Amino acid sequence: MHKGSSTLSVQRRTGLDEAPADRRGKRKPSRRAGGTRLAAIDGLRLVAALAVAAYHYVGTTTPNFWGANDPKQFAPALHEISRYGWLGVEFFFIISGFVICLSCWGRTPVQFVVSRVSRLFPSYWCAVLMVVGLVLIARLVHLQAATPIDPRTVLGNLTMVPGPLGLQLIAGVAWTLWVEARFYLLMAIMLFFGLTYRRMIAFCGTWLTLAVIARELDSTVLDELFVSQYAGLFITGIALYLMHRFGQNLVLWLLAGFAWCYELTVLNDRVTAHAVKPADGGAISWAVCAAILTCFLAVLALAGIGPLARLRWRWLVTAGALTYPFYLVHQSIGIPVAKGLLQTVPALGVLPSMAVAAVFSLLLSGAIYRMVENPLMRVLRRQLTRGMSPRQPSTDTTASRQDEQGGTRRQLTPPAGQSTKPATPADADSVRSDA
């Protein structure tokens, strides 16, 4: 009886930290943690990107953005809906909490860093350089380009953190990548300790608490470190992933609930930031934003732990692959294309020009993925992995170096009873060099 109770308690503890073990002590994978790709979540990523694109194309409230054509006039209903498209960014961050937790589980910190760098930078570099090329061509033909290009700005943008460096963004959506990077940093720190169920719950609870403290203290430093504006989104996504991997329980639902209540509260800051003058549309409704974002969350839950998780449509995976390059180019390249069409073929109309630009951006995204991101990602991953694990010197080479160093030390040691003169500065330098 005592032995059986002890075994049961060990199994319960193991189940909270990792996948349960079978009777032979061999670890079994969780039935929910299978390696099947969640195609529905790939599709949701493209939905989020299209929502952001709708906001930039039709939902813009910038006066004279499309010249004499005002979206409030030629597409009032579509404009009013698209004004909320910026919530696609928030949706991205919820998905990121789920997907990044999934992708880094069981990896080392080095593997995680290599995967993120090789995944993000090829398409980003390509998008930045394409915008630079587009601006240079516009200058050659004496056209006005809104994006300022100079060597310092280009170099700063290639780092993916132009905002913190005080530079204007060449790819306008790149500010979200800095938010993601800080989330990756927090996850990389957790990987040093090892990801387990209980550690991730403790991590999320601690992160949420620190985000609250950052806002209470109104500390810019703590806000930057703990991403207080978006922490609830990432934590909710992580909670959904833990449900996907380990099953649903009250602890995880409470964690998700607290994180969501926090996020909807601080969402008001983003809502206020998107308010404009009454003549340009006025304020937008916090209640509507909260409802839309909650609907996004519900769909993600269906895709991660609900019936949509069983979808295996390959086109959804393809849509997910196109999402990142499309997100990068739809604004910085797609909008100039639409404006160029309006100038050269005004009879085409505004909405058709936008549609052509959006389709062009999708086709360009496919080309970037196939010709740049996919091949360069493989090369970067291989080379970065090799660079993070350099070759160790062979045994023969190490022994030879040790013999040479030993011989040098013997030459520098005088025989017993023999005096030596003080070392000159040159001699002292050479000794330190040998050492």
Side-chain angles (χ1 to χ4, degrees), residues 370-385:
R370 291 182 179 276
M371 300 172 62
V372 178
E373 180 180 311
N374 212 18
L376 190 54
M377 178 174 62
R378 294 174 183 174
V379 173
L380 272 178
R381 184 168 296 177
R382 183 170 59 251
Q383 295 298 326
L384 289 174
T385 302

mmCIF file with all atom_site columns, all heavy atoms in Angstrom, residues 370-385:
data_model
loop_
_atom_site.group_PDB
_atom_site.id
_atom_site.type_symbol
_atom_site.label_atom_id
_atom_site.label_alt_id
_atom_site.label_comp_id
_atom_site.label_asym_id
_atom_site.label_entity_id
_atom_site.label_seq_id
_atom_site.pdbx_PDB_ins_code
_atom_site.Cartn_x
_atom_site.Cartn_y
_atom_site.Cartn_z
_atom_site.occupancy
_atom_site.B_iso_or_equiv
_atom_site.pdbx_formal_charge
_atom_site.auth_seq_id
_atom_site.auth_comp_id
_atom_site.auth_asym_id
_atom_site.auth_atom_id
_atom_site.pdbx_PDB_model_num
ATOM 1   N N   . ARG A 1 370 ? 9.592  32.020 -51.429 1.00 0.00 ? 370 ARG A N   1
ATOM 2   C CA  . ARG A 1 370 ? 10.230 30.938 -52.185 1.00 0.00 ? 370 ARG A CA  1
ATOM 3   C C   . ARG A 1 370 ? 11.671 31.261 -52.567 1.00 0.00 ? 370 ARG A C   1
ATOM 4   O O   . ARG A 1 370 ? 12.541 30.387 -52.531 1.00 0.00 ? 370 ARG A O   1
ATOM 5   C CB  . ARG A 1 370 ? 9.423  30.628 -53.453 1.00 0.00 ? 370 ARG A CB  1
ATOM 6   C CG  . ARG A 1 370 ? 8.071  29.996 -53.167 1.00 0.00 ? 370 ARG A CG  1
ATOM 7   C CD  . ARG A 1 370 ? 7.333  29.660 -54.447 1.00 0.00 ? 370 ARG A CD  1
ATOM 8   N NE  . ARG A 1 370 ? 6.049  29.046 -54.175 1.00 0.00 ? 370 ARG A NE  1
ATOM 9   C CZ  . ARG A 1 370 ? 5.866  27.752 -53.934 1.00 0.00 ? 370 ARG A CZ  1
ATOM 10  N NH1 . ARG A 1 370 ? 6.910  26.942 -53.948 1.00 0.00 ? 370 ARG A NH1 1
ATOM 11  N NH2 . ARG A 1 370 ? 4.669  27.260 -53.697 1.00 0.00 ? 370 ARG A NH2 1
ATOM 12  N N   . MET A 1 371 ? 11.932 32.515 -52.932 1.00 0.00 ? 371 MET A N   1
ATOM 13  C CA  . MET A 1 371 ? 13.246 32.852 -53.484 1.00 0.00 ? 371 MET A CA  1
ATOM 14  C C   . MET A 1 371 ? 14.213 33.432 -52.457 1.00 0.00 ? 371 MET A C   1
ATOM 15  O O   . MET A 1 371 ? 15.427 33.420 -52.684 1.00 0.00 ? 371 MET A O   1
ATOM 16  C CB  . MET A 1 371 ? 13.054 33.849 -54.635 1.00 0.00 ? 371 MET A CB  1
ATOM 17  C CG  . MET A 1 371 ? 12.195 33.306 -55.761 1.00 0.00 ? 371 MET A CG  1
ATOM 18  S SD  . MET A 1 371 ? 11.784 34.549 -57.017 1.00 0.00 ? 371 MET A SD  1
ATOM 19  C CE  . MET A 1 371 ? 13.417 34.955 -57.626 1.00 0.00 ? 371 MET A CE  1
ATOM 20  N N   . VAL A 1 372 ? 13.689 33.933 -51.340 1.00 0.00 ? 372 VAL A N   1
ATOM 21  C CA  . VAL A 1 372 ? 14.563 34.578 -50.348 1.00 0.00 ? 372 VAL A CA  1
ATOM 22  C C   . VAL A 1 372 ? 14.462 33.884 -48.997 1.00 0.00 ? 372 VAL A C   1
ATOM 23  O O   . VAL A 1 372 ? 15.438 33.336 -48.485 1.00 0.00 ? 372 VAL A O   1
ATOM 24  C CB  . VAL A 1 372 ? 14.234 36.080 -50.209 1.00 0.00 ? 372 VAL A CB  1
ATOM 25  C CG1 . VAL A 1 372 ? 15.117 36.722 -49.139 1.00 0.00 ? 372 VAL A CG1 1
ATOM 26  C CG2 . VAL A 1 372 ? 14.389 36.793 -51.537 1.00 0.00 ? 372 VAL A CG2 1
ATOM 27  N N   . GLU A 1 373 ? 13.263 33.924 -48.430 1.00 0.00 ? 373 GLU A N   1
ATOM 28  C CA  . GLU A 1 373 ? 13.121 33.448 -47.047 1.00 0.00 ? 373 GLU A CA  1
ATOM 29  C C   . GLU A 1 373 ? 13.477 31.977 -46.893 1.00 0.00 ? 373 GLU A C   1
ATOM 30  O O   . GLU A 1 373 ? 14.288 31.603 -46.037 1.00 0.00 ? 373 GLU A O   1
ATOM 31  C CB  . GLU A 1 373 ? 11.692 33.681 -46.564 1.00 0.00 ? 373 GLU A CB  1
ATOM 32  C CG  . GLU A 1 373 ? 11.453 33.211 -45.136 1.00 0.00 ? 373 GLU A CG  1
ATOM 33  C CD  . GLU A 1 373 ? 10.037 33.454 -44.662 1.00 0.00 ? 373 GLU A CD  1
ATOM 34  O OE1 . GLU A 1 373 ? 9.550  34.602 -44.837 1.00 0.00 ? 373 GLU A OE1 1
ATOM 35  O OE2 . GLU A 1 373 ? 9.425  32.515 -44.121 1.00 0.00 ? 373 GLU A OE2 1
ATOM 36  N N   . ASN A 1 374 ? 12.886 31.120 -47.713 1.00 0.00 ? 374 ASN A N   1
ATOM 37  C CA  . ASN A 1 374 ? 13.088 29.687 -47.543 1.00 0.00 ? 374 ASN A CA  1
ATOM 38  C C   . ASN A 1 374 ? 14.544 29.275 -47.745 1.00 0.00 ? 374 ASN A C   1
ATOM 39  O O   . ASN A 1 374 ? 15.135 28.623 -46.875 1.00 0.00 ? 374 ASN A O   1
ATOM 40  C CB  . ASN A 1 374 ? 12.162 28.918 -48.489 1.00 0.00 ? 374 ASN A CB  1
ATOM 41  C CG  . ASN A 1 374 ? 11.722 27.601 -47.902 1.00 0.00 ? 374 ASN A CG  1
ATOM 42  O OD1 . ASN A 1 374 ? 11.820 27.380 -46.704 1.00 0.00 ? 374 ASN A OD1 1
ATOM 43  N ND2 . ASN A 1 374 ? 11.252 26.714 -48.757 1.00 0.00 ? 374 ASN A ND2 1
ATOM 44  N N   . PRO A 1 375 ? 15.178 29.639 -48.882 1.00 0.00 ? 375 PRO A N   1
ATOM 45  C CA  . PRO A 1 375 ? 16.580 29.217 -49.054 1.00 0.00 ? 375 PRO A CA  1
ATOM 46  C C   . PRO A 1 375 ? 17.542 29.884 -48.081 1.00 0.00 ? 375 PRO A C   1
ATOM 47  O O   . PRO A 1 375 ? 18.440 29.234 -47.534 1.00 0.00 ? 375 PRO A O   1
ATOM 48  C CB  . PRO A 1 375 ? 16.894 29.592 -50.503 1.00 0.00 ? 375 PRO A CB  1
ATOM 49  C CG  . PRO A 1 375 ? 15.879 30.608 -50.888 1.00 0.00 ? 375 PRO A CG  1
ATOM 50  C CD  . PRO A 1 375 ? 14.664 30.289 -50.098 1.00 0.00 ? 375 PRO A CD  1
ATOM 51  N N   . LEU A 1 376 ? 17.355 31.196 -47.843 1.00 0.00 ? 376 LEU A N   1
ATOM 52  C CA  . LEU A 1 376 ? 18.274 31.896 -46.951 1.00 0.00 ? 376 LEU A CA  1
ATOM 53  C C   . LEU A 1 376 ? 18.085 31.450 -45.502 1.00 0.00 ? 376 LEU A C   1
ATOM 54  O O   . LEU A 1 376 ? 19.061 31.415 -44.725 1.00 0.00 ? 376 LEU A O   1
ATOM 55  C CB  . LEU A 1 376 ? 18.074 33.411 -47.072 1.00 0.00 ? 376 LEU A CB  1
ATOM 56  C CG  . LEU A 1 376 ? 19.117 34.297 -46.381 1.00 0.00 ? 376 LEU A CG  1
ATOM 57  C CD1 . LEU A 1 376 ? 20.513 33.940 -46.833 1.00 0.00 ? 376 LEU A CD1 1
ATOM 58  C CD2 . LEU A 1 376 ? 18.825 35.765 -46.667 1.00 0.00 ? 376 LEU A CD2 1
ATOM 59  N N   . MET A 1 377 ? 16.852 31.094 -45.135 1.00 0.00 ? 377 MET A N   1
ATOM 60  C CA  . MET A 1 377 ? 16.605 30.609 -43.785 1.00 0.00 ? 377 MET A CA  1
ATOM 61  C C   . MET A 1 377 ? 17.402 29.333 -43.529 1.00 0.00 ? 377 MET A C   1
ATOM 62  O O   . MET A 1 377 ? 17.979 29.151 -42.454 1.00 0.00 ? 377 MET A O   1
ATOM 63  C CB  . MET A 1 377 ? 15.115 30.348 -43.585 1.00 0.00 ? 377 MET A CB  1
ATOM 64  C CG  . MET A 1 377 ? 14.753 29.791 -42.218 1.00 0.00 ? 377 MET A CG  1
ATOM 65  S SD  . MET A 1 377 ? 12.959 29.656 -41.975 1.00 0.00 ? 377 MET A SD  1
ATOM 66  C CE  . MET A 1 377 ? 12.542 28.474 -43.271 1.00 0.00 ? 377 MET A CE  1
ATOM 67  N N   . ARG A 1 378 ? 17.446 28.448 -44.504 1.00 0.00 ? 378 ARG A N   1
ATOM 68  C CA  . ARG A 1 378 ? 18.204 27.195 -44.332 1.00 0.00 ? 378 ARG A CA  1
ATOM 69  C C   . ARG A 1 378 ? 19.694 27.464 -44.176 1.00 0.00 ? 378 ARG A C   1
ATOM 70  O O   . ARG A 1 378 ? 20.360 26.871 -43.325 1.00 0.00 ? 378 ARG A O   1
ATOM 71  C CB  . ARG A 1 378 ? 17.951 26.282 -45.532 1.00 0.00 ? 378 ARG A CB  1
ATOM 72  C CG  . ARG A 1 378 ? 16.517 25.795 -45.647 1.00 0.00 ? 378 ARG A CG  1
ATOM 73  C CD  . ARG A 1 378 ? 16.316 25.012 -46.927 1.00 0.00 ? 378 ARG A CD  1
ATOM 74  N NE  . ARG A 1 378 ? 14.925 24.592 -47.078 1.00 0.00 ? 378 ARG A NE  1
ATOM 75  C CZ  . ARG A 1 378 ? 14.442 23.994 -48.168 1.00 0.00 ? 378 ARG A CZ  1
ATOM 76  N NH1 . ARG A 1 378 ? 15.253 23.742 -49.189 1.00 0.00 ? 378 ARG A NH1 1
ATOM 77  N NH2 . ARG A 1 378 ? 13.174 23.637 -48.230 1.00 0.00 ? 378 ARG A NH2 1
ATOM 78  N N   . VAL A 1 379 ? 20.190 28.374 -45.012 1.00 0.00 ? 379 VAL A N   1
ATOM 79  C CA  . VAL A 1 379 ? 21.623 28.692 -44.925 1.00 0.00 ? 379 VAL A CA  1
ATOM 80  C C   . VAL A 1 379 ? 21.942 29.332 -43.578 1.00 0.00 ? 379 VAL A C   1
ATOM 81  O O   . VAL A 1 379 ? 22.921 28.965 -42.911 1.00 0.00 ? 379 VAL A O   1
ATOM 82  C CB  . VAL A 1 379 ? 22.032 29.631 -46.086 1.00 0.00 ? 379 VAL A CB  1
ATOM 83  C CG1 . VAL A 1 379 ? 23.472 30.093 -45.914 1.00 0.00 ? 379 VAL A CG1 1
ATOM 84  C CG2 . VAL A 1 379 ? 21.853 28.923 -47.423 1.00 0.00 ? 379 VAL A CG2 1
ATOM 85  N N   . LEU A 1 380 ? 21.136 30.302 -43.177 1.00 0.00 ? 380 LEU A N   1
ATOM 86  C CA  . LEU A 1 380 ? 21.377 30.966 -41.895 1.00 0.00 ? 380 LEU A CA  1
ATOM 87  C C   . LEU A 1 380 ? 21.302 29.988 -40.730 1.00 0.00 ? 380 LEU A C   1
ATOM 88  O O   . LEU A 1 380 ? 22.138 30.019 -39.821 1.00 0.00 ? 380 LEU A O   1
ATOM 89  C CB  . LEU A 1 380 ? 20.347 32.076 -41.686 1.00 0.00 ? 380 LEU A CB  1
ATOM 90  C CG  . LEU A 1 380 ? 20.679 33.459 -42.237 1.00 0.00 ? 380 LEU A CG  1
ATOM 91  C CD1 . LEU A 1 380 ? 19.514 34.412 -41.978 1.00 0.00 ? 380 LEU A CD1 1
ATOM 92  C CD2 . LEU A 1 380 ? 21.943 34.015 -41.615 1.00 0.00 ? 380 LEU A CD2 1
ATOM 93  N N   . ARG A 1 381 ? 20.300 29.131 -40.759 1.00 0.00 ? 381 ARG A N   1
ATOM 94  C CA  . ARG A 1 381 ? 20.146 28.177 -39.653 1.00 0.00 ? 381 ARG A CA  1
ATOM 95  C C   . ARG A 1 381 ? 21.365 27.263 -39.555 1.00 0.00 ? 381 ARG A C   1
ATOM 96  O O   . ARG A 1 381 ? 21.867 26.995 -38.464 1.00 0.00 ? 381 ARG A O   1
ATOM 97  C CB  . ARG A 1 381 ? 18.873 27.362 -39.860 1.00 0.00 ? 381 ARG A CB  1
ATOM 98  C CG  . ARG A 1 381 ? 18.554 26.399 -38.729 1.00 0.00 ? 381 ARG A CG  1
ATOM 99  C CD  . ARG A 1 381 ? 17.158 25.864 -38.872 1.00 0.00 ? 381 ARG A CD  1
ATOM 100 N NE  . ARG A 1 381 ? 16.166 26.933 -38.738 1.00 0.00 ? 381 ARG A NE  1
ATOM 101 C CZ  . ARG A 1 381 ? 14.858 26.757 -38.883 1.00 0.00 ? 381 ARG A CZ  1
ATOM 102 N NH1 . ARG A 1 381 ? 14.382 25.570 -39.178 1.00 0.00 ? 381 ARG A NH1 1
ATOM 103 N NH2 . ARG A 1 381 ? 14.028 27.770 -38.746 1.00 0.00 ? 381 ARG A NH2 1
ATOM 104 N N   . ARG A 1 382 ? 21.833 26.805 -40.715 1.00 0.00 ? 382 ARG A N   1
ATOM 105 C CA  . ARG A 1 382 ? 23.004 25.910 -40.707 1.00 0.00 ? 382 ARG A CA  1
ATOM 106 C C   . ARG A 1 382 ? 24.246 26.637 -40.229 1.00 0.00 ? 382 ARG A C   1
ATOM 107 O O   . ARG A 1 382 ? 25.001 26.135 -39.387 1.00 0.00 ? 382 ARG A O   1
ATOM 108 C CB  . ARG A 1 382 ? 23.212 25.343 -42.114 1.00 0.00 ? 382 ARG A CB  1
ATOM 109 C CG  . ARG A 1 382 ? 24.357 24.344 -42.217 1.00 0.00 ? 382 ARG A CG  1
ATOM 110 C CD  . ARG A 1 382 ? 24.354 23.635 -43.554 1.00 0.00 ? 382 ARG A CD  1
ATOM 111 N NE  . ARG A 1 382 ? 24.483 24.561 -44.676 1.00 0.00 ? 382 ARG A NE  1
ATOM 112 C CZ  . ARG A 1 382 ? 23.488 24.844 -45.523 1.00 0.00 ? 382 ARG A CZ  1
ATOM 113 N NH1 . ARG A 1 382 ? 22.290 24.287 -45.360 1.00 0.00 ? 382 ARG A NH1 1
ATOM 114 N NH2 . ARG A 1 382 ? 23.662 25.683 -46.525 1.00 0.00 ? 382 ARG A NH2 1
ATOM 115 N N   . GLN A 1 383 ? 24.476 27.842 -40.750 1.00 0.00 ? 383 GLN A N   1
ATOM 116 C CA  . GLN A 1 383 ? 25.687 28.577 -40.399 1.00 0.00 ? 383 GLN A CA  1
ATOM 117 C C   . GLN A 1 383 ? 25.651 29.089 -38.955 1.00 0.00 ? 383 GLN A C   1
ATOM 118 O O   . GLN A 1 383 ? 26.670 29.079 -38.262 1.00 0.00 ? 383 GLN A O   1
ATOM 119 C CB  . GLN A 1 383 ? 25.884 29.748 -41.364 1.00 0.00 ? 383 GLN A CB  1
ATOM 120 C CG  . GLN A 1 383 ? 26.157 29.324 -42.805 1.00 0.00 ? 383 GLN A CG  1
ATOM 121 C CD  . GLN A 1 383 ? 27.438 28.516 -42.921 1.00 0.00 ? 383 GLN A CD  1
ATOM 122 O OE1 . GLN A 1 383 ? 28.412 28.752 -42.206 1.00 0.00 ? 383 GLN A OE1 1
ATOM 123 N NE2 . GLN A 1 383 ? 27.448 27.549 -43.837 1.00 0.00 ? 383 GLN A NE2 1
ATOM 124 N N   . LEU A 1 384 ? 24.484 29.540 -38.505 1.00 0.00 ? 384 LEU A N   1
ATOM 125 C CA  . LEU A 1 384 ? 24.376 30.013 -37.119 1.00 0.00 ? 384 LEU A CA  1
ATOM 126 C C   . LEU A 1 384 ? 24.552 28.864 -36.136 1.00 0.00 ? 384 LEU A C   1
ATOM 127 O O   . LEU A 1 384 ? 25.185 29.024 -35.090 1.00 0.00 ? 384 LEU A O   1
ATOM 128 C CB  . LEU A 1 384 ? 23.020 30.685 -36.903 1.00 0.00 ? 384 LEU A CB  1
ATOM 129 C CG  . LEU A 1 384 ? 22.819 32.041 -37.585 1.00 0.00 ? 384 LEU A CG  1
ATOM 130 C CD1 . LEU A 1 384 ? 21.379 32.510 -37.414 1.00 0.00 ? 384 LEU A CD1 1
ATOM 131 C CD2 . LEU A 1 384 ? 23.784 33.084 -37.037 1.00 0.00 ? 384 LEU A CD2 1
ATOM 132 N N   . THR A 1 385 ? 23.994 27.716 -36.465 1.00 0.00 ? 385 THR A N   1
ATOM 133 C CA  . THR A 1 385 ? 24.176 26.549 -35.605 1.00 0.00 ? 385 THR A CA  1
ATOM 134 C C   . THR A 1 385 ? 25.642 26.170 -35.518 1.00 0.00 ? 385 THR A C   1
ATOM 135 O O   . THR A 1 385 ? 26.165 25.870 -34.439 1.00 0.00 ? 385 THR A O   1
ATOM 136 C CB  . THR A 1 385 ? 23.349 25.364 -36.134 1.00 0.00 ? 385 THR A CB  1
ATOM 137 O OG1 . THR A 1 385 ? 21.965 25.732 -36.186 1.00 0.00 ? 385 THR A OG1 1
ATOM 138 C CG2 . THR A 1 385 ? 23.510 24.145 -35.238 1.00 0.00 ? 385 THR A CG2 1
#
